[in-house]
Amino acid sequence: MSKINAVSIKPGNILQHDGGLWVAVKVVHVKPGKGGAFAQCELKNIEDGRKLNERFRTSDTVEQIHLDQKEYSFLYQQGDMLVFMDQETYEQIELAKDFVGDDQIRFLQDGMVVKLQLFEERPISIALPEQVVLVIVEADAVVKNQTASSSYKPAKADNGMRILIPPYMEAGERVLVSTETGEYLRRAD
């Protein structure tokens, strides 16, 4: 942790403020005609998602936090908990499904390497790889002369997810899917 002057806050900085960890979302530096300059910051709480608008004077200082980033591999699911293993020390850590989020859980695969951001050995956030390989288990038939609508057809992947794939693809094909949007990217190598 290091103290920085409030006018040095930039979007993306992580601060310890008001008893919690906050990320600076938006920062506007204001120099009014009368009075001292200040920084108007929109902060978002990392742990619970609350937002806060805070005004810092040029003389104020804040604690800037630097998070540790470690790679963990996903091992298995145990009830409402997900078990991950540190790639370096082989220590295991359990995270609640709520922490990871349903939109991310659907992409988890055995042995998948994820990045955890830690503050004082406590997980703050998780980042999955940008894309994953899924196998198509069901693909709808192509409708002939359907050129007026999109050129993609519905399909079901091995993780139960529904995605749109090109019409020439069939069940058994391996595809790359974006973990951010859940959309088909291309055929896997």
Side-chain angles (χ1 to χ4, degrees):
M1 289 190 288
S2 59
K3 284 199 178 272
I4 61 168
N5 193 300
V7 293
S8 302
I9 299 172
K10 293 178 178 56
N13 285 150
I14 298 171
L15 313 171
Q16 188 162 26
H17 175 69
D18 203 23
L21 293 179
W22 302 81
V23 62
V25 179
K26 215 191 297 188
V27 180
V28 178
H29 297 283
V30 180
K31 173 69 173 107
K34 215 175 193 186
F38 60 89
Q40 183 70 37
C41 300
E42 183 180 318
L43 305 173
K44 183 178 179 188
N45 191 299
I46 290 176
E47 292 153 342
D48 60 20
R50 284 182 296 142
K51 288 197 173 185
L52 172 71
N53 282 315
E54 194 71 43
R55 181 178 287 188
F56 296 104
R57 296 186 314 266
T58 55
S59 59
D60 293 340
T61 58
V62 291
E63 290 281 339
Q64 183 176 11
I65 304 297
H66 298 286
L67 299 178
D68 296 326
Q69 192 166 348
K70 284 182 137 183
E71 288 189 343
Y72 282 78
S73 57
F74 174 66
L75 296 179
Y76 57 90
Q77 180 176 328
Q78 182 176 339
D80 283 346
M81 302 301 279
L82 302 169
V83 181
F84 295 86
M85 180 182 67
D86 187 326
Q87 294 281 84
E88 295 171 10
T89 65
Y90 303 110
E91 290 180 24
Q92 292 183 6
I93 184 173
E94 289 186 358
L95 298 176
K97 282 184 174 180
D98 294 343
F99 177 81
V100 178
D102 289 335
D103 58 330
Q104 298 288 320
I105 289 175
R106 63 186 177 170
F107 294 113
L108 284 177
Q109 299 170 348
D110 290 343
M112 176 183 278
V113 176
V114 299
K115 290 185 178 154
L116 277 177
Q117 286 191 323
L118 306 158
F119 175 66
E120 297 176 350
E121 299 299 316
R122 192 181 77 214
I124 299 297
S125 70
I126 186 168
L128 270 58
E130 291 180 16
Q131 52 198 17
V132 293
V133 176
L134 299 177
V135 178
I136 302 299
V137 292
E138 261 178 47
D140 290 358
V142 178
V143 179
K144 288 196 181 239
N145 301 327
Q146 188 182 16
T147 56
S149 65
S150 72
S151 61
Y152 286 88
K153 66 180 183 180
K156 186 176 180 182
D158 58 347
N159 66 350
M161 201 173 121
R162 306 276 309 159
I163 57 174
L164 294 173
I165 60 172
Y168 58 84
M169 297 187 105
E170 297 298 326
E173 301 242 21
R174 293 167 31 98
V175 295
L176 280 177
V177 176
S178 166
T179 56
E180 192 173 310
T181 63
E183 294 176 350
Y184 163 85
L185 296 172
R186 61 182 165 88
R187 182 181 272 162
D189 297 329

